[in-house]
Amino acid sequence: RKEVEQDPGPFNVPEGATVAFNCTYSNSASQSFFWYRQDCRKEPKLLMSVYSSGNEDGRFTAQLNRASQYISLLIRDSKLSDSATYLCVVKAYSSASKIIFGSGTRLSIRP
Amino acid sequence: EAQVTQNPRYLITVTGKKLTVTCSQNMNHEYMSWYRQDPGLGLRQIYYSMNVEVTDKGDVPEGYKVSRKEKRNFPLILESPSPNQTSLYFCASGRDSRTEAFFGQGTRLTVV
């Protein structure tokens, strides 16, 4: 089983829709969580950190469920420019600086 | 401008010919790391460095070397490249290992 798993998609949704995807992790010692966005052939860029109490940044909401060991990303009122691959990142401090990336979820927003 | 700079951006080389991919950051970050990205496998960590002269293996270190003689530079060395090292490589840096990482633009390496 992979340490961090994401549904690869692709998710193909119309502009204006709300879309959500999850990321599950297996290491219960994981302590930091992030969502990155990666455009085709470009470098990953931080979208948002994920805090225990959940956090929102404009149209984006991230949540953490430690009991079930998953994080989620919700995008409201999706825009064409949201089309990208979304990577979840999990960091576990119990094993030095192990940083695990999910394989990414592809999102395509259609007009 | 705060950035992580990798060079070269594209490289085609032959099996066995030693090469170095450079990585430099201007943010005074202590933490730096190298990843490779392959279709279906996502980003996998090759090596990381917590500070000058401190390096450690990530998940896929075989066939790679790194050094961290100065804080700003973290070169990736392939002593004898092989075709299975054909990949997209990213260097990243962060204030520390717990915070977000800033990525370079990537180096697309092809080994023939």
Side-chain angles (χ1 to χ4, degrees), chain A residues 36 38 43 91 96-99, chain B residues 37 50 59 97 99 101 104:
Chain A
Y36 279 74
Q38 185 175 26
E43 73 274 24
K91 297 188 180 185
S97 297
K98 197 170 177 67
I99 299 172
Chain B
Q37 187 172 32
M50 301 284 280
D59 286 324
S97 63
T99 56

Side-chain angles (χ1 to χ4, degrees), chain A residues 31-32 34 91 93 97, chain B residues 31 95-100:
Chain A
Q31 294 190 19
S32 290
F34 305 87
K91 297 188 180 185
Y93 306 138
S97 297
Chain B
Y31 184 83
R95 195 172 66 239
D96 53 54
S97 63
R98 302 183 180 209
T99 56
E100 69 270 22

Side-chain angles (χ1 to χ4, degrees), chain B:
Chain B
E1 182 190 351
Q3 59 187 5
V4 179
T5 304
Q6 291 178 231
N7 277 297
R9 294 287 312 282
Y10 302 92
L11 178 60
I12 300 175
T13 189
V14 297
T15 299
K17 185 176 180 183
K18 181 180 178 180
L19 67 91
T20 299
V21 184
T22 63
C23 174
S24 180
Q25 50 94 3
N26 63 0
M27 295 170 277
N28 201 37
H29 284 163
E30 293 190 346
Y31 184 83
M32 296 186 75
S33 60
W34 276 102
Y35 300 86
R36 59 178 290 174
Q37 187 172 32
D38 302 289
L41 296 176
L43 278 146
R44 293 178 293 167
Q45 195 174 39
I46 302 171
Y47 269 94
Y48 63 91
S49 169
M50 301 284 280
N51 213 327
V52 175
E53 301 292 3
V54 180
T55 63
D56 213 339
K57 296 177 181 179
D59 286 324
V60 288
E62 294 78 21
Y64 305 94
K65 283 174 56 176
V66 292
S67 69
R68 187 91 182 274
K69 293 185 171 60
E70 312 163 272
K71 201 172 194 179
R72 63 182 292 126
N73 295 323
F74 190 45
L76 179 70
I77 303 153
L78 285 72
E79 295 271 5
S80 182
S82 61
N84 65 11
Q85 292 178 298
T86 292
S87 187
L88 177 59
Y89 291 86
F90 288 104
C91 177
S93 74
R95 195 172 66 239
D96 53 54
S97 63
R98 302 183 180 209
T99 56
E100 69 270 22
F102 295 84
F103 283 80
Q105 292 180 293
T107 296
R108 188 165 292 278
L109 172 66
T110 301
V111 184
V112 298

Side-chain angles (χ1 to χ4, degrees), chain A residues 32-87:
Chain A
S32 290
F33 308 89
F34 305 87
W35 282 103
Y36 279 74
R37 171 198 169 120
Q38 185 175 26
D39 294 294
C40 189
R41 297 178 178 273
K42 297 283 184 70
E43 73 274 24
K45 292 185 178 177
L46 179 70
L47 180 66
M48 57 197 304
S49 303
V50 186
Y51 302 124
S52 297
S53 55
N55 48 300
E56 192 173 301
D57 183 0
R59 297 181 293 108
F60 299 85
T61 300
Q63 292 199 310
L64 167 64
N65 185 317
R66 283 193 186 275
S68 300
Q69 295 187 196
Y70 74 85
I71 64 174
S72 64
L73 179 67
L74 178 81
I75 305 175
R76 288 181 299 278
D77 187 24
S78 53
K79 313 289 185 194
L80 294 175
S81 57
D82 293 334
S83 296
T85 297
Y86 291 83
L87 308 170

